[in-house]
Amino acid sequence: MIDFGRIPQERLPALLRTMPKAELHIHIEGSLEPEMIFALAKRNGVALAYPSIEALRAAYAFSDLQSFLDIYYAGASVLLHEQDFFDLGFAYLHKAAAENVRCAEVFFDPQTHTARGVAMKDVILGLSHACHRAHAEWGLQAKLILCFLRHLSEDEAMATLDAALPWREQFIGVGLDSSEQGHPPEKFARVFAHARALGLHVVAHAGEEGPPAYIESALDVLHVGRIDHGVRCVESPALVQRLARERMPLTVCPLSNVKLCVFPTLAEHNLPALLQAGLCVTINSDDPAYFGGYLNQNFVEIFAALPQLGSREAYTLARNSFAASFATSADKARWMSELDAHFSAAAAP
Ligand code: ADE
Ligand code: ZN
C-alpha cells in the first residue's frame, strides 16, 4: 500500500517528471519543432511561407482544430526523405526517454506525405528505424499507429492501408485524426473492419470537438480499443457510465485542449470530473511542438492549475497509461512494478 498522504504537494512536480509513464497520443508530425522545420527546409530546398523561426512561432495562435491543422500540414511539407522521418522520430523519442516515458505509441499521418509524392516506404522505414534505435539506446519501447485523415474519403483510407501492408510488421494499429466535425467515425466502418481483420489495434479521435455520438459510433461501429480525447463524453451521463464500466481508455491532452479552445483554461479542464467518474484517463501531449510542451509539461501544468490533483491522481494517471497501452501483459506488469517502487520510495519516511 502506498501512503499517498506522506507525499507533500511541493514534491509533486518532481514526482510527475520522474515517474515512469506511457505516452499514447502523440502525432509525430506534431513534434516537428520550428527549428527542425527550418533546418529541413534548407536541407531539402523547400520554400517556407514564413521568413524566420520567430515569425513561424508567432503564427501558433489557434482558434479551433482546423486553424491548427492548416499550419500543421504546411509544416509537414519539409519532410521528404527517409532520413527526415528518422530524424523527426528520433528527436521526439530522445525527449520522451529523458522524460521517463517507457512506452510510446506514436501516430503518423502517411496521407499528409504520400499526397506530396513521398514514398510510403520512406515514411514507415524512417520512423520504424527511429523506434528500433530508441529501444536499443534507451530501452524505450516505441510503436507506430498509422492514422487516416478523416477529411478524406474512406476509399483513400483503404488505399493507404493497402499501400502500407508491405510494412505491416512495422506498425501495431490504425487511428483516425484530422478535422472531426462532419466526419463521423462510421464514415470509416469498412476500412476499420479490414484493419481489425488484419490483427491491427484500432483507435480513433472522438469527442474532441465532435459530439458524444461520435464517441458512441467509434465504440459501436469501429470497435476501438481507446478513444483519443473523448472529453465531450461528459455531455452524456449514460456514455460516461458506459466508458467507466468498459474501462475504455481516454487519451486526454490538456495543453492541446486549451490551445485549440476546447477549454478556456487548464483550471477549467474536466480532468477531475473524468477521474471522479472512474474513467481510465491518460495524459498526453498530442502535438507538443505546437501546443507549448511535451508530456511532462502537460502533467506539471495541469496539476499546477488544478490543486485538487495530488500524488494519488499522479499515480492513477501513470498506471492508466500502462494499462491502456497495447503492450504485452508482461511489459505492463514490469512497468507497473517500477511505478509502485517509485511511489513507495517517495512516500517512505
Ligand atoms: N492531428 C494532429 N493533432 C490532431 C488533433 N488534436 N485532433 C485531430 N487531428 C489531429
Ligand atoms: Zn491527436
Side-chain angles (χ1 to χ4, degrees):
M1 275 288 284
I2 299 159
D3 187 354
F4 293 105
R6 295 189 62 92
I7 304 176
Q9 203 74 0
E10 61 267 22
R11 286 187 34 214
L12 209 43
L15 190 65
L16 291 164
R17 291 183 196 281
T18 53
M19 68 183 184
K21 53 184 81 77
E23 175 146 61
L24 308 178
H25 184 159
I26 156 81
H27 302 262
I28 202 63
E29 295 87 353
S31 72
L32 186 50
E33 293 285 349
E35 289 75 11
M36 192 182 272
I37 292 180
F38 273 76
L40 289 177
K42 191 167 171 208
R43 186 160 101 186
N44 291 335
V46 175
L48 292 173
Y50 297 90
S52 66
I53 291 173
E54 295 68 36
L56 175 58
R57 235 185 246 288
Y60 292 0
F62 313 114
S63 52
D64 58 11
L65 175 57
Q66 193 59 51
S67 65
F68 155 69
L69 290 171
D70 294 342
I71 285 201
Y72 162 86
Y73 294 131
S77 68
V78 298
L79 296 161
L80 293 183
H81 308 296
E82 181 177 333
Q83 183 69 45
D84 305 337
F85 290 93
F86 175 87
D87 291 346
L88 175 66
F90 199 62
Y92 161 70
L93 293 168
H94 194 180
K95 293 191 181 88
E99 294 199 346
N100 299 298
V101 172
R102 299 288 183 264
C103 165
E105 295 180 354
V106 178
F107 296 144
F108 69 109
D109 287 343
Q111 288 159 294
T112 301
H113 314 298
T114 53
R116 298 179 287 109
V118 176
M120 181 68 83
K121 167 178 158 294
D122 291 340
V123 178
I124 297 183
L125 290 187
L127 294 175
S128 69
H129 286 153
C131 293
H132 292 133
R133 266 282 292 281
H135 191 251
E137 300 249 350
W138 310 299
L140 167 55
Q141 187 175 109
K143 307 281 179 178
L144 297 173
I145 295 178
L146 181 161
C147 284
F148 305 119
L149 300 181
R150 70 201 301 159
H151 67 275
L152 301 178
S153 71
E154 185 180 43
D155 285 348
E156 287 166 290
M158 196 69 90
T160 300
L161 179 54
D162 284 342
L165 286 184
W167 300 279
R168 162 70 186 83
E169 295 312 311
Q170 307 307 322
F171 55 100
I172 60 164
V174 301
L176 188 62
D177 64 5
S178 189
S179 324
E180 187 181 5
Q181 297 274 19
H183 302 285
E186 54 268 32
K187 178 177 161 187
F188 296 90
R190 287 182 313 121
V191 70
F192 270 67
H194 183 41
R196 283 188 290 109
L198 290 165
L200 289 158
H201 295 288
V202 302
V203 298
H205 284 53
E208 177 187 20
E209 285 191 344
Y214 284 18
I215 300 176
E216 282 164 359
S217 59
L219 297 173
D220 295 330
V221 181
L222 303 187
H223 304 286
V224 295
R226 293 196 295 254
I227 296 284
D228 294 312
H229 294 293
V231 290
R232 285 194 59 193
C233 69
V234 294
E235 294 166 35
S236 166
L239 176 59
V240 171
Q241 280 184 14
R242 175 184 178 183
L243 293 167
R245 193 172 58 243
E246 296 179 5
R247 294 293 297 157
M248 177 58 57
L250 302 187
T251 61
V252 171
C253 307
L255 291 176
S256 164
N257 289 157
V258 171
K259 283 282 182 192
L260 301 188
C261 307
V262 173
F263 297 99
T265 64
L266 284 177
E268 291 159 276
H269 198 284
N270 68 6
L271 177 66
L274 300 174
L275 286 168
Q276 195 65 42
L279 299 184
C280 182
V281 185
T282 70
I283 297 293
N284 306 271
S285 68
D286 205 6
D287 300 285
Y290 292 90
F291 298 152
Y294 286 77
L295 185 53
N296 282 349
Q297 195 71 22
N298 272 271
F299 270 109
V300 169
E301 287 199 31
I302 189 90
F303 274 69
L306 293 163
Q308 66 268 53
L309 300 179
S311 57
R312 183 184 298 278
E313 288 74 24
Y315 173 84
T316 299
L317 289 163
R319 196 170 202 287
N320 288 350
S321 73
F322 294 130
S325 78
F326 295 129
T328 63
S329 311
D331 284 334
K332 291 184 190 194
R334 186 164 44 82
W335 293 322
M336 286 178 186
S337 304
E338 188 193 355
L339 181 67
D340 284 351
H342 195 78
F343 275 77
S344 296

